[in-house]
Amino acid sequence: MSNIEITRVWTDDIKQLQIIGKQTFLETFSEGNSEENMKMYLEEGFAEEKLLSELQDPNAEFYFATSEGDVIGYLKLNFGDSQTELKDNSALEIERIYVLKDFHGKGVGQLLYKIALEIAQMKKVSYVWLGVWEENPRAISFYKKNGFEEFDKHIFKLGDDEQTDIMMKLIL
Protein backbone atom coordinates (compact mmCIF):
# COMPACT_ATOMS: atom_id res chain seq x y z
CA MET A 1 0.00 0.00 0.00
CA SER A 2 1.56 3.24 -1.09
CA ASN A 3 -0.88 5.70 0.48
CA ILE A 4 0.02 4.98 4.11
CA GLU A 5 1.32 7.85 6.22
CA ILE A 6 3.11 7.52 9.55
CA THR A 7 2.64 10.42 11.97
CA ARG A 8 3.60 11.06 15.58
CA VAL A 9 0.76 10.87 18.10
CA TRP A 10 0.30 13.82 20.48
CA THR A 11 -1.92 14.39 23.52
CA ASP A 12 -4.72 15.91 21.45
CA ASP A 13 -4.89 12.57 19.55
CA ILE A 14 -5.78 10.68 22.73
CA LYS A 15 -9.35 9.73 21.74
CA GLN A 16 -8.20 8.27 18.42
CA LEU A 17 -5.38 6.42 20.20
CA GLN A 18 -7.88 4.98 22.65
CA ILE A 19 -10.14 3.83 19.79
CA ILE A 20 -7.40 2.20 17.67
CA GLY A 21 -5.75 0.71 20.76
CA LYS A 22 -8.92 -0.98 21.98
CA GLN A 23 -10.04 -2.10 18.53
CA THR A 24 -6.74 -3.67 17.49
CA PHE A 25 -6.20 -5.32 20.88
CA LEU A 26 -9.70 -6.79 20.75
CA GLU A 27 -9.23 -8.03 17.18
CA THR A 28 -5.87 -9.57 18.05
CA PHE A 29 -6.61 -11.24 21.38
CA SER A 30 -10.36 -11.70 21.95
CA GLU A 31 -10.41 -15.17 20.42
CA GLY A 32 -7.93 -16.64 22.91
CA ASN A 33 -9.14 -14.88 26.06
CA SER A 34 -12.25 -14.61 28.23
CA GLU A 35 -14.64 -11.72 27.75
CA GLU A 36 -14.15 -10.65 31.40
CA ASN A 37 -10.35 -10.53 31.12
CA MET A 38 -10.52 -8.62 27.83
CA LYS A 39 -12.97 -6.10 29.30
CA MET A 40 -10.80 -5.57 32.38
CA TYR A 41 -7.61 -5.11 30.33
CA LEU A 42 -9.22 -2.75 27.81
CA GLU A 43 -10.65 -0.56 30.58
CA GLU A 44 -7.35 -0.36 32.47
CA GLY A 45 -4.82 -0.49 29.63
CA PHE A 46 -6.56 2.10 27.49
CA ALA A 47 -7.96 4.36 30.21
CA GLU A 48 -7.66 8.03 29.24
CA GLU A 49 -5.50 8.86 32.31
CA LYS A 50 -3.07 6.01 31.51
CA LEU A 51 -2.76 6.98 27.85
CA LEU A 52 -2.31 10.66 28.75
CA SER A 53 0.48 9.73 31.15
CA GLU A 54 2.16 7.61 28.44
CA LEU A 55 1.77 10.36 25.83
CA GLN A 56 3.37 12.90 28.20
CA ASP A 57 6.27 10.57 29.05
CA PRO A 58 9.46 11.90 27.38
CA ASN A 59 10.75 8.31 27.14
CA ALA A 60 7.75 6.97 25.19
CA GLU A 61 6.53 7.70 21.67
CA PHE A 62 3.42 6.69 19.73
CA TYR A 63 2.95 6.75 15.95
CA PHE A 64 -0.19 6.30 13.86
CA ALA A 65 -0.36 4.59 10.49
CA THR A 66 -3.11 6.26 8.46
CA SER A 67 -4.68 5.55 5.10
CA GLU A 68 -6.90 8.16 3.48
CA GLY A 69 -7.14 9.98 6.82
CA ASP A 70 -8.20 6.90 8.81
CA VAL A 71 -6.01 5.46 11.55
CA ILE A 72 -5.34 1.81 10.62
CA GLY A 73 -2.58 0.94 13.08
CA TYR A 74 -0.14 2.27 15.63
CA LEU A 75 3.27 1.85 17.21
CA LYS A 76 4.45 2.45 20.78
CA LEU A 77 8.14 2.74 21.65
CA ASN A 78 9.79 3.00 25.07
CA PHE A 79 13.27 4.18 26.04
CA GLY A 80 15.29 4.22 29.27
CA ASP A 81 13.27 3.83 32.47
CA SER A 82 9.99 3.75 30.55
CA GLN A 83 10.77 0.31 29.15
CA THR A 84 8.44 -2.27 30.63
CA GLU A 85 11.15 -4.70 31.62
CA LEU A 86 14.83 -4.23 30.83
CA LYS A 87 15.23 -0.48 31.54
CA ASP A 88 18.45 -0.51 29.53
CA ASN A 89 19.57 2.92 28.24
CA SER A 90 21.30 1.21 25.31
CA ALA A 91 18.02 -0.38 24.18
CA LEU A 92 14.69 0.56 22.66
CA GLU A 93 11.52 -1.41 23.38
CA ILE A 94 8.81 -1.90 20.80
CA GLU A 95 5.89 -2.23 23.19
CA ARG A 96 3.19 -2.33 20.53
CA ILE A 97 2.75 -2.67 16.80
CA TYR A 98 -0.94 -3.20 16.09
CA VAL A 99 -2.75 -3.02 12.76
CA LEU A 100 -6.46 -3.40 12.02
CA LYS A 101 -7.27 -6.89 10.72
CA ASP A 102 -8.52 -5.51 7.38
CA PHE A 103 -4.99 -4.21 6.75
CA HIS A 104 -3.01 -7.31 7.74
CA GLY A 105 -0.63 -8.46 5.02
CA LYS A 106 -0.55 -5.03 3.38
CA GLY A 107 2.81 -3.86 4.72
CA VAL A 108 1.45 -1.58 7.45
CA GLY A 109 3.18 -3.41 10.29
CA GLN A 110 6.41 -3.42 8.29
CA LEU A 111 6.19 0.37 7.82
CA LEU A 112 5.65 0.89 11.56
CA TYR A 113 8.54 -1.46 12.28
CA LYS A 114 10.75 0.50 9.86
CA ILE A 115 9.98 3.71 11.81
CA ALA A 116 10.95 1.92 15.05
CA LEU A 117 14.30 0.92 13.53
CA GLU A 118 14.95 4.43 12.21
CA ILE A 119 14.32 5.86 15.69
CA ALA A 120 16.54 3.20 17.26
CA GLN A 121 19.35 4.20 14.89
CA MET A 122 18.80 7.92 15.59
CA LYS A 123 19.00 7.22 19.31
CA LYS A 124 22.11 5.09 18.73
CA VAL A 125 20.85 2.15 20.79
CA SER A 126 22.62 -1.22 20.68
CA TYR A 127 19.50 -3.32 20.33
CA VAL A 128 15.73 -3.38 20.02
CA TRP A 129 13.64 -5.75 22.12
CA LEU A 130 10.00 -6.68 22.66
CA GLY A 131 7.67 -9.19 24.27
CA VAL A 132 5.19 -11.19 22.18
CA TRP A 133 2.51 -13.58 23.42
CA GLU A 134 3.61 -17.19 22.90
CA GLU A 135 0.20 -17.91 21.35
CA ASN A 136 0.52 -15.23 18.66
CA PRO A 137 2.33 -17.10 15.86
CA ARG A 138 1.66 -14.34 13.32
CA ALA A 139 3.57 -11.77 15.40
CA ILE A 140 6.36 -14.22 16.30
CA SER A 141 6.83 -15.01 12.62
CA PHE A 142 6.85 -11.28 11.75
CA TYR A 143 9.63 -10.54 14.23
CA LYS A 144 11.69 -13.62 13.30
CA LYS A 145 11.41 -12.59 9.63
CA ASN A 146 12.86 -9.23 10.69
CA GLY A 147 15.86 -10.82 12.42
CA PHE A 148 14.68 -10.95 16.05
CA GLU A 149 15.79 -13.85 18.23
CA GLU A 150 14.25 -15.21 21.42
CA PHE A 151 16.25 -14.52 24.58
CA ASP A 152 13.90 -14.92 27.54
CA LYS A 153 10.28 -15.10 28.70
CA HIS A 154 8.15 -13.01 31.02
CA ILE A 155 4.62 -12.98 32.39
CA PHE A 156 2.00 -10.64 30.96
CA LYS A 157 -1.15 -10.25 33.03
CA LEU A 158 -4.39 -10.00 31.06
CA GLY A 159 -7.12 -9.46 33.63
CA ASP A 160 -6.62 -12.31 36.07
CA ASP A 161 -4.85 -14.53 33.53
CA GLU A 162 -1.05 -14.79 33.65
CA GLN A 163 0.24 -15.40 30.13
CA THR A 164 3.75 -16.09 28.86
CA ASP A 165 5.38 -13.63 26.50
CA ILE A 166 8.45 -14.56 24.52
CA MET A 167 11.05 -11.82 24.77
CA MET A 168 12.88 -11.19 21.51
CA LYS A 169 15.78 -8.96 20.59
CA LEU A 170 17.50 -7.60 17.52
CA ILE A 171 21.13 -6.51 17.87
CA LEU A 172 21.82 -3.44 15.72
Side-chain angles (χ1 to χ4, degrees), residues 56-103:
Q56 292 173 336
D57 181 346
N59 286 316
E61 294 178 6
F62 287 86
Y63 294 86
F64 282 150
T66 59
S67 176
E68 297 174 17
D70 295 324
V71 177
I72 59 172
Y74 77 107
L75 164 70
K76 181 179 185 221
L77 304 174
N78 297 318
F79 321 99
D81 288 341
S82 294
Q83 294 174 77
T84 59
E85 194 107 356
L86 301 181
K87 319 257 188 236
D88 183 343
N89 286 326
S90 66
L92 173 146
E93 175 191 17
I94 297 175
E95 186 178 349
R96 300 182 193 141
I97 293 181
Y98 286 109
V99 176
L100 292 172
K101 260 198 166 110
D102 288 349
F103 292 90

Side-chain angles (χ1 to χ4, degrees), residues 25-39:
F25 195 88
L26 204 61
E27 286 181 356
T28 305
F29 300 113
S30 61
E31 194 173 297
N33 292 286
S34 75
E35 195 174 321
E36 301 79 41
N37 282 337
M38 287 296 293
K39 186 175 189 287

Side-chain angles (χ1 to χ4, degrees), residues 53-172:
S53 168
E54 291 174 343
L55 283 165
Q56 292 173 336
D57 181 346
N59 286 316
E61 294 178 6
F62 287 86
Y63 294 86
F64 282 150
T66 59
S67 176
E68 297 174 17
D70 295 324
V71 177
I72 59 172
Y74 77 107
L75 164 70
K76 181 179 185 221
L77 304 174
N78 297 318
F79 321 99
D81 288 341
S82 294
Q83 294 174 77
T84 59
E85 194 107 356
L86 301 181
K87 319 257 188 236
D88 183 343
N89 286 326
S90 66
L92 173 146
E93 175 191 17
I94 297 175
E95 186 178 349
R96 300 182 193 141
I97 293 181
Y98 286 109
V99 176
L100 292 172
K101 260 198 166 110
D102 288 349
F103 292 90
H104 283 187
K106 296 187 169 99
V108 181
Q110 199 64 45
L111 276 175
L112 290 166
Y113 170 72
K114 184 177 171 230
I115 294 296
L117 275 190
E118 288 172 7
I119 292 166
Q121 290 164 345
M122 276 190 327
K123 293 193 174 281
K124 298 180 176 21
V125 298
S126 303
Y127 65 98
V128 177
W129 73 276
L130 54 91
V132 59
W133 189 28
E134 66 182 355
E135 294 184 34
N136 189 347
R138 180 181 186 87
I140 293 167
S141 173
F142 174 83
Y143 291 115
K144 283 185 174 177
K145 177 186 82 172
N146 281 293
F148 280 76
E149 295 181 2
E150 297 178 24
F151 72 95
D152 203 351
K153 294 183 178 199
H154 70 182
I155 298 299
F156 176 82
K157 204 156 163 67
L158 183 80
D160 64 7
D161 186 21
E162 290 190 349
Q163 302 179 347
T164 302
D165 274 2
I166 297 167
M167 294 172 71
M168 303 179 82
K169 124 184 351 181
L170 173 71
I171 307 292
L172 300 177

